[in-house]
Amino acid sequence: MRKFNIRKVLDGLTAVSAVASASSAAQQQQAGNRETEIQETLQSEHFQLCKTVRHGFPYQPSALAFDPVQKILAIGTQTGALRLFGRPGVECYCQHDSGAAVIQLQFLINEGALVSALADDTLHLWNLRQKRPAILHSLKFNRERITFCHLPFQSKWLYVGTERGNIHIVNVESFTLSGYVIMWNKAIELSSKSHPGPVVHISDNPMDEGKLLIGFESGTVVLWDLKSKKADYRYTHDEAIHSVAWHHEGKQFICSHSDGTLTIWNVKSPTKPFQTITPHGKQLKDGKKPEPCKPILKVEYKTTRAGEPFIILSGGLSYDTVGRRPCLTVMHGKSTAVLEMDYSIVDFLTLCETPYPNDFQEPYAVVVLLEKDLVLIDLAQNGYPIFENPYPLTIHESPVTCCEYFADCPVDLIPALYSVGARQKRQGYSKKEWPISGGNWGVITQSYSEIIITGHADGSIKFWDASAITLQVLYKLKTAKVFEKSRNKDDRPNTDIVDEDPYAIQIISWCPESRMLCIAGVSAHVIIYRFSKQEVTTEVIPMLEVRLLYEINDVETPDGEQVPPVPTPGTGSNPQSIVPQSHPSTSSSSSDGLRDNVPCLKVKNSPLKQSPGYQIELVIQLVWVSGEPPQQITSLAINSAYGLVVFGNCNGIAMVDYLQKTVLLNLGTIELYGSNDPYRREPRSPRKTRQPSGGLCDINEGMVVPEDRCKSPTSVKTKSRKFSKMVTNDIDVKDNSFSRSRSSSVTSIDKESREAISALHFCETFTRKADTSPSPCLWVGTTLGTVLVIVLNLPPGGEQRLLQPVIVSPSGTILRLKGAILRMAFLDTTGSLVPPAHETWREHHEDKDEKEKAKKRRPVSVSPSSSQEISENQYAVICSEKQAKVISLPSQNCIYKQNITETSFVLRGDIVSLSNSICLACFCANGHIMTFSLPSLRPLLDVYYLPLTNMRIARTFCFTDNGQALYLVSPTEIQRLTYSQETCENLQEMLGELFTLVETPEAPNRGFFKGLFGGGAQSLDREELFGESASGKASRSLAQHIPGPGGIEGVKGAASGVVGELARARLALDERGQKLGELEEKTAAMLYSADSFSKHAHEMMLKYKDKKWYQF
């Protein structure tokens, strides 16, 4: 444990510093005499980086499989990812190293294993008997391309069909090829002159495992006799085949074709189909064939004991249904139900009561994998309702534009959000329980709650319970409902500054203790929300419009950027006194005909019913100024104890008192400096007509983002608008002299690099060098690396807070760092984090008596620093894109400095707590994650994790307390990770188990007569046919076996519990058997040695038995 003596550092600094005011020098000396020592407990061994869990819908899904005994669902993707789902809360993510698309998945049913076939012609065997599944074996095909795989139930022989039309057979235990091959030219008729195409289907006859049904793309189907190695029957059809399915009795099968038809064939009648159906074709009166339809991509044929069979298919719609959504068709008896889907169907599976293909299937549900959703349909209820999906697969319902992550939240927060969110749930779901119910939950080792907030392109905000590595949606807030929506594109106002998603959320500022929420949207709007458990109807939506302009004129005009007085209909501060007024039309113009004083969005002027949950407190909008559109907001902060919200952009900064509904501060960035601005500013650039939307909505990857780097890592999008109430209450800081000038080189700021507000932090600290006690203030960071301090003079609490104005004034304090400022925080004299002041939440809509009581018992909550002794100091921690500094307050001496990166830049920096201490965590654009101790800024962790491949990662990456972090790894998925050694160690226990011990159901009873006369299922000794002794060895050049990393190590790392114990017992038996084998070999060697000795001794005896002793 290292100790840092602040006194010696300060003494050294003061010796060098010749210029200091008398008061600050006296204060510094006093601080030095206090022997302040801060013990840092965090060491590098407290840190370790690892991924924990991945949430959300698998991005670009391509394959689907289900284990009907274990009740586990597997989804493969086009990027080689594998997602496994069990009961709600049991999820797993794996990745194929090659990144090739998964084309098919096959469970070894109830064996705890899965085979994946990839587009790079490899097969992989996954061991699911451990918490983190691993590959046991791989097989790479060199000469042929894999198109279809089939693994019969309770068989170890996997049939692999190829593009050339051949079928190879793989032993899944050893992952080696059998010498038995079904060649395409032997399968089809010799008279056929053309190649039948790739294999699109393989399955064995449910009643006879010795008969294999092979479907070729061209339309040929062959029933192959495995024993005699020849084709029994060949079925030909003019149309290409997409899929084939058996009737469970093995006497009929059904094919789906590219012309939208289904053909049902009797096994023993190969000449023509028994029946041809066109499910969506228009039947013509004169008996002609129906018009062709779109291809039926898949069909399943499932039987029931009690009624008609189910024929379930995807595709097959007629070509004249232009614009119709993708459909799943369920045909049951004479009824046909067409179920429309929101997205394209990737695959579907029918869930049945039995895993045996030769029994009545009894289907009870259909799993439909869509391009961007997973749907389960209940087949047992009328109308086929869907099941309510318990997995967190709706993250991308609207593209995510920003994320915030909060750990160790107040204990009552998640129940409060859940209770208001429960009212938003849809009705009409199936009454049955979710049928995917396999696996077991992990052990919960963490006691704190976590919340993730996602902001979306449509203006919605979702709150998620992220405790204990799970994810569950709690509550959804729609911010766009406060605005008038244009019905079509032509109807849109010409004041929009973005082409798409005008309501998208850009920044979220949330106070968990007071539950106050503030969002900034892409249309330069800010909305403040207050949490309430009661429903209210807001007659008039409270609104402010702010005129924020960046302008440099040759002639200095002190009032150049102040808001011109606008007549306001209401003078009181009570929101109820705001009288609705007509919104300025989009044609509002200044004297030169340019748009002026017009916000981008129009607020509704009708009463707004607000459900329990987050309710609008105030809407603030930036307006057009002389034809110049408002610039997007780059930083935002709210403080519930002060009743203030502040935001800034590349033009300047504005502060609003949301209790009194007044603008307190409205300054251009330059005016914050006063007369000591060190930069040479160019005159205002020509105005821009429109802004790009920033590429925030990347649900479909590949957009080019105009920005080359992320200045505000917490970017988010949203839009809002309200009634005009503009208040002129600006502060002129030009006459304030600064006590500290900046020595950095003078730079020119052109139109593309205006100094934007990049960080805002409310706190209670020392604002000037001469201060003897901390006071409320706002610290402002800019993109040029400047930190300025604004003093807040707040009226007393209670009634006075609503009547007296808040006085805002600059302090004159300026600090400098290299690179844009990202984050600021404050430590007390012991090195502990000083949280911003906050109120605790209370119901806002109370009776008057309750409010009076609350005023008496509830003073404005302030941060712990306010109770410090006068002589105690604080430390400001400031992190920029390039460096971090720790500055002693009130002396303003830099006591520690760390250059984080020279060649890259920091995208996200957070001051977080870990193991009862605090540190600075940073994520750089070069992919490095770093942590530094506080206050000394010692490097503790530096790991190359992830290169910045797109703006989505930069926009959504965030750290939080207790060593947690997350980012959006794809447009539909959140990846969580930890940088805490303790969490990494506990992760194995926290993860759920996929495999559980379940008895395989009994095989169907053949019945007396079937047994007597040889009916029922015919079994096959596949070992006898496919084993090396019968079929020989396969060609070595055909496929290459690759041992996987999940062999014996995977077994050793198996989860604790029954499965783990079994694995360890099996391992122990293997080791014991190995030792017994070694012992047996040693014994045999000793016996051989003894036998040799005996023979040798006997020979010696014979040689010398007749000789006398003296003859030796």
Side-chain angles (χ1 to χ4, degrees):
M1 185 183 293
R2 291 181 62 187
K3 295 185 177 181
F4 294 90
N5 194 321
I6 301 299
R7 179 181 61 122
K8 291 178 182 175
V9 178
L10 292 179
D11 285 348
L13 287 168
T14 50
V16 176
S17 176
V19 183
S21 64
S23 59
S24 65
Q27 184 125 13
Q28 199 169 349
Q29 186 180 359
Q30 192 177 19
N33 295 335
R34 293 184 57 80
E35 285 280 344
T36 306
E37 288 186 347
I38 295 177
Q39 293 185 341
E40 292 187 358
T41 56
L42 284 179
Q43 302 297 330
S44 56
E45 54 264 28
H46 288 101
F47 294 88
Q48 182 184 341
L49 195 70
C50 71
K51 294 179 181 178
T52 52
V53 285
R54 184 174 288 200
H55 302 298
F57 183 76
Y59 183 57
Q60 294 179 327
S62 56
L64 181 67
F66 182 68
D67 185 326
V69 180
Q70 286 288 321
K71 297 196 183 301
I72 297 287
L73 187 77
I75 296 175
T77 75
Q78 292 178 30
T79 55
L82 191 60
R83 292 283 295 279
L84 296 145
F85 296 91
R87 65 180 58 192
V90 177
E91 286 182 40
C92 182
Y93 159 74
C94 317
Q95 178 69 46
H96 293 92
D97 292 338
S98 67
V102 179
I103 56 174
Q104 201 175 347
L105 296 170
Q106 288 268 308
F107 274 101
L108 277 68
I109 294 173
N110 206 25
E111 294 290 332
L114 175 75
V115 173
S116 57
L118 270 58
D120 63 355
D121 308 306
T122 53
L123 296 172
H124 303 275
L125 178 66
W126 290 85
N127 175 16
L128 307 183
R129 290 178 177 242
Q130 54 197 66
K131 289 194 171 185
R132 285 188 179 274
I135 292 174
L136 292 170
H137 300 282
S138 297
L139 195 64
K140 166 76 174 168
F141 279 73
N142 297 321
R143 299 200 307 241
E144 298 198 48
R145 310 222 60 186
I146 298 170
T147 55
F148 194 87
C149 298
H150 171 63
L151 181 67
F153 180 44
Q154 295 180 324
S155 165
K156 70 174 184 180
W157 298 97
L158 174 75
Y159 301 105
V160 181
T162 69
E163 197 172 42
R164 289 187 183 177
N166 303 325
I167 292 177
H168 302 278
I169 297 161
V170 176
N171 183 329
V172 292
E173 288 180 354
S174 61
F175 239 56
T176 53
L177 275 175
S178 164
Y180 191 114
V181 182
I182 303 172
M183 303 301 288
W184 68 270
N185 53 355
K186 290 186 179 177
I188 65 167
E189 290 182 78
L190 295 175
S191 59
S192 177
K193 294 179 182 178
S194 58
H195 189 278
V199 175
V200 294
H201 178 82
I202 308 168
S203 62
D204 45 346
N205 187 318
M207 287 297 181
D208 188 350
E209 294 173 350
K211 309 290 186 185
L212 199 66
L213 195 69
I214 307 162
F216 295 97
E217 189 180 67
S218 64
T220 301
V221 179
V222 175
L223 189 66
W224 181 264
D225 188 315
L226 290 165
K227 288 179 184 174
S228 64
K229 299 186 181 179
K230 65 177 185 179
D232 278 358
Y233 298 102
R234 296 181 179 92
Y235 314 84
T236 54
H237 193 66
D238 297 338
E239 295 295 334
I241 290 176
H242 285 278
S243 73
V244 184
W246 278 102
H247 186 284
H248 85 274
E249 290 177 349
K251 295 174 183 176
Q252 281 187 339
F253 61 88
I254 187 169
C255 301
S256 73
H257 299 279
S258 56
D259 64 346
T261 59
L262 297 172
T263 54
I264 299 174
W265 299 79
N266 284 334
V267 169
K268 295 183 179 179
S269 304
T271 51
K272 65 172 186 176
F274 165 70
Q275 188 181 359
T276 301
I277 307 167
T278 311
H280 296 282
K282 291 178 181 175
Q283 298 297 328
L284 303 175
K285 292 179 182 178
D286 52 5
K288 290 181 182 177
K289 286 176 70 176
E291 291 177 3
C293 295
K294 294 176 185 176
I296 296 176
L297 300 176
K298 184 173 181 179
V299 64
E300 293 209 340
Y301 198 6
K302 302 297 179 184
T303 53
T304 60
R305 278 188 173 83
E308 299 280 345
F310 282 88
I311 296 176
I312 302 165
L313 56 109
S314 63
L317 295 177
S318 61
Y319 280 102
D320 60 5
T321 53
V322 179
R324 188 169 180 182
R325 294 192 293 180
C327 294
L328 186 84
T329 306
V330 180
M331 300 169 69
H332 186 219
K334 292 181 179 179
S335 72
T336 300
V338 180
L339 310 174
E340 287 195 339
M341 302 291 156
D342 292 333
Y343 306 102
S344 299
I345 297 172
V346 175
D347 199 359
F348 72 89
L349 288 173
T350 310
L351 307 190
C352 302
E353 297 289 355
T354 177
Y356 293 95
N358 59 349
D359 194 9
F360 285 97
Q361 298 298 288
E362 302 296 346
Y364 59 89
V366 183
V367 183
V368 190
L369 177 63
L370 306 175
E371 215 171 40
K372 295 174 186 174
D373 201 2
L374 181 72
V375 176
L376 251 79
I377 297 162
D378 185 353
L379 290 178
Q381 286 187 41
N382 290 333
Y384 306 130
I386 63 169
F387 289 87
E388 185 176 7
N389 197 321
Y391 305 135
L393 302 182
T394 58
I395 291 169
H396 64 287
E397 192 175 26
S398 170
V400 176
T401 52
C402 71
C403 287
E404 289 298 331
Y405 193 4
F406 300 86
D408 220 357
C409 301
V411 290
D412 59 342
L413 197 50
I414 287 176
L417 288 166
Y418 181 82
S419 65
V420 295
R423 305 176 190 217
Q424 300 176 329
K425 288 193 176 177
R426 283 176 49 195
Q427 303 298 316
Y429 289 112
S430 169
K431 302 289 191 294
K432 293 184 180 176
E433 286 190 11
W434 183 251
I436 303 164
S437 55
N440 281 325
W441 292 304
V443 179
I444 298 173
T445 57
Q446 65 183 46
S447 56
Y448 56 88
S449 60
E450 298 172 82
I451 290 177
I452 295 170
I453 305 179
T454 53
H456 300 266
D458 64 354
S460 61
I461 291 175
K462 288 182 182 175
F463 291 79
W464 304 83
D465 177 4
S467 309
I469 68 169
T470 61
L471 194 70
Q472 181 185 9
V473 70
L474 292 169
Y475 172 69
K476 181 180 175 180
L477 171 66
K478 294 179 180 176
T479 65
K481 67 179 183 181
V482 71
F483 301 110
E484 300 280 4
K485 287 191 176 68
S486 51
R487 293 179 186 174
N488 53 54
K489 288 187 177 179
D490 301 331
D491 196 30
R492 285 172 57 176
N494 58 1
T495 52
D496 277 6
I497 57 170
V498 288
D499 294 323
E500 292 179 351
D501 303 316
Y503 311 109
I505 309 291
Q506 264 188 311
I507 313 175
I508 297 169
S509 178
W510 189 50
C511 174
E513 288 79 13
S514 67
R515 304 183 190 172
M516 291 299 296
L517 172 70
C518 188
I519 63 96
V522 76
S523 292
H525 64 278
V526 172
I527 312 180
I528 303 163
Y529 288 91
R530 192 185 290 275
F531 187 85
S532 173
K533 292 181 179 178
Q534 298 175 18
E535 185 178 291
V536 295
T537 300
T538 307
E539 294 297 326
V540 177
I541 299 166
M543 159 158 180
L544 291 174
E545 288 180 358
V546 177
R547 187 180 172 93
L548 197 56
L549 177 67
Y550 173 92
E551 187 168 15
I552 303 171
N553 298 320
D554 295 334
V555 182
E556 195 76 30
T557 54
D559 304 315
E561 303 216 359
Q562 302 220 350
V563 180
V566 173
T568 49
T571 53
S573 61
N574 191 318
Q576 263 61 40
S577 65
I578 299 175
V579 178
Q581 65 181 39
S582 62
H583 186 78
S585 69
T586 51
S587 59
S588 296
S589 60
S590 55
S591 56
D592 55 359
L594 299 172
R595 282 193 289 272
D596 197 41
N597 279 349
V598 185
C600 301
L601 301 170
K602 186 175 180 181
V603 176
K604 287 181 180 175
N605 53 14
S606 55
L608 183 68
K609 183 180 176 182
Q610 303 198 74
S611 304
Y614 275 101
Q615 299 171 353
I616 293 167
E617 176 81 3
L618 179 64
V619 179
I620 307 161
Q621 289 200 98
L622 296 181
V623 296
W624 287 68
V625 179
S626 304
E628 180 91 8
Q631 298 299 303
Q632 291 181 3
I633 290 161
T634 55
S635 57
L636 175 73
I638 189 168
N639 187 286
S640 58
Y642 306 158
L644 302 177
V645 67
V646 63
F647 56 92
N649 60 14
C650 62
N651 282 340
I653 185 171
M655 189 188 296
V656 169
D657 179 341
Y658 65 78
L659 297 176
Q660 295 189 27
K661 311 289 188 289
T662 56
V663 179
L664 300 173
L665 183 72
N666 180 6
L667 290 179
T669 317
I670 311 154
E671 291 185 301
L672 283 169
Y673 290 99
S675 57
N676 290 332
D677 181 12
Y679 296 105
R680 184 179 77 250
R681 318 264 177 176
E682 297 297 329
R684 194 178 77 170
S685 62
R687 59 179 174 271
K688 299 175 185 176
T689 53
R690 290 184 82 78
Q691 282 180 265
S693 58
L696 291 178
C697 311
D698 55 355
I699 192 80
N700 299 312
E701 295 277 76
M703 269 190 195
V704 177
V705 181
E707 308 157 50
D708 61 345
R709 48 195 236 167
C710 179
K711 296 290 187 183
S712 176
T714 52
S715 321
V716 183
K717 296 187 167 184
T718 301
K719 290 200 169 183
S720 13
R721 174 182 268 195
K722 300 239 167 165
F723 299 119
S724 300
K725 177 169 191 276
M726 302 175 74
V727 180
T728 306
N729 190 6
D730 288 345
I731 312 287
D732 183 5
V733 295
K734 304 248 171 174
D735 298 314
N736 276 279
S737 60
F738 292 110
S739 59
R740 180 168 175 167
S741 64
R742 295 180 287 176
S743 57
S744 66
S745 60
V746 175
T747 52
S748 163
I749 303 176
D750 63 10
K751 63 180 180 181
E752 293 305 325
S753 59
R754 294 177 183 174
E755 186 173 17
I757 308 298
S758 57
L760 296 163
H761 189 86
F762 284 106
C763 55
E764 195 139 328
T765 187
F766 301 92
T767 55
R768 300 179 180 88
K769 289 184 179 180
D771 283 359
T772 55
S773 63
S775 58
C777 56
L778 171 70
W779 285 53
V780 180
T782 75
T783 51
L784 292 184
T786 308
V787 176
L788 306 112
V789 183
I790 294 171
V791 181
L792 309 173
N793 193 337
L794 298 164
E799 267 318 315
Q800 294 302 309
R801 175 62 185 85
L802 296 175
L803 299 174
Q804 295 183 23
V806 176
I807 307 298
V808 184
S809 58
S811 66
T813 297
I814 294 185
L815 305 170
R816 289 282 295 147
L817 272 78
K818 192 193 298 181
I821 306 298
L822 297 179
R823 193 75 63 214
M824 297 175 279
F826 295 85
L827 315 181
D828 64 17
T829 191
T830 65
S832 301
L833 195 64
V834 178
H838 61 80
E839 278 188 342
T840 52
W841 178 81
R842 64 181 181 88
E843 181 58 63
H844 191 56
H845 305 292
E846 291 176 336
D847 297 336
K848 288 184 179 179
D849 297 342
E850 289 293 322
K851 284 188 178 178
E852 290 301 320
K853 288 178 188 175
K855 282 173 189 171
K856 290 175 184 175
R857 68 172 181 261
R858 186 185 56 83
V860 173
S861 169
V862 292
S863 58
S865 61
S866 60
S867 60
Q868 291 179 334
E869 294 177 36
I870 289 173
S871 58
E872 286 193 355
N873 56 341
Q874 285 186 352
Y875 306 100
V877 181
I878 305 170
C879 176
S880 78
E881 285 183 329
K882 292 287 187 180
Q883 61 181 193
K885 284 186 180 180
V886 176
I887 292 161
S888 178
L889 299 176
S891 67
Q892 296 180 15
N893 289 316
C894 176
I895 57 171
Y896 294 107
K897 184 170 101 172
Q898 177 68 251
N899 288 324
I900 299 169
T901 176
E902 294 293 337
T903 56
S904 184
F905 57 96
V906 179
L907 287 163
R908 177 79 183 209
D910 285 296
I911 291 90
V912 291
S913 64
L914 178 70
S915 303
N916 298 316
S917 189
I918 55 167
C919 64
L920 169 65
C922 299
F923 172 53
C924 284
N926 60 12
H928 283 253
I929 289 178
M930 295 177 278
T931 62
F932 302 91
S933 69
L934 288 175
S936 68
L937 293 174
R938 275 181 306 120
L940 297 171
L941 175 78
D942 185 353
V943 177
Y944 176 75
Y945 172 71
L946 173 85
L948 178 65
T949 51
N950 54 48
M951 288 300 296
R952 184 188 60 251
I953 297 170
R955 200 173 58 243
T956 56
F957 198 104
C958 47
F959 297 96
T960 189
D961 295 337
N962 300 320
Q964 309 293 336
L966 67 79
Y967 63 97
L968 216 68
V969 69
S970 76
T972 63
E973 296 164 290
I974 286 174
Q975 177 67 57
R976 290 167 71 178
L977 54 147
T978 182
Y979 48 95
S980 157
Q981 170 69 32
E982 185 184 1
T983 307
C984 287
E985 287 175 358
N986 294 333
L987 185 60
Q988 190 70 13
E989 288 181 37
M990 296 170 73
L991 292 171
E993 286 179 322
L994 285 167
F995 181 77
T996 52
L997 287 176
V998 182
E999 278 192 32
T1000 303
E1002 285 187 16
N1005 192 348
R1006 292 173 66 183
F1008 175 74
F1009 289 106
K1010 282 189 177 179
L1012 188 63
F1013 298 111
Q1018 301 293 313
S1019 61
L1020 172 75
D1021 187 352
R1022 293 187 178 93
E1023 187 71 41
E1024 188 182 318
L1025 278 175
F1026 306 144
E1028 197 172 308
S1029 58
S1031 62
K1033 288 187 177 180
S1035 167
R1036 286 188 180 181
S1037 62
L1038 183 61
Q1040 175 191 358
H1041 176 261
I1042 306 161
I1048 208 74
E1049 287 303 316
V1051 179
K1052 284 181 178 175
S1056 56
V1058 179
V1059 177
E1061 294 300 329
L1062 281 172
R1064 280 190 283 276
R1066 195 179 299 115
L1067 186 66
L1069 282 170
D1070 288 346
E1071 290 172 353
R1072 186 180 170 202
Q1074 191 177 344
K1075 286 175 183 174
L1076 285 171
E1078 289 169 4
L1079 184 62
E1080 191 178 345
E1081 285 172 9
K1082 286 179 182 175
T1083 307
M1086 287 172 72
L1087 283 169
Y1088 177 75
S1089 176
D1091 190 44
S1092 299
F1093 179 80
S1094 172
K1095 284 180 183 177
H1096 187 65
H1098 186 66
E1099 286 170 3
M1100 290 287 289
M1101 184 268 291
L1102 292 173
K1103 186 177 180 182
Y1104 296 110
K1105 72 175 183 175
D1106 294 327
K1107 292 189 178 185
K1108 303 295 182 183
W1109 62 272
Y1110 52 83
Q1111 291 177 313
F1112 285 103

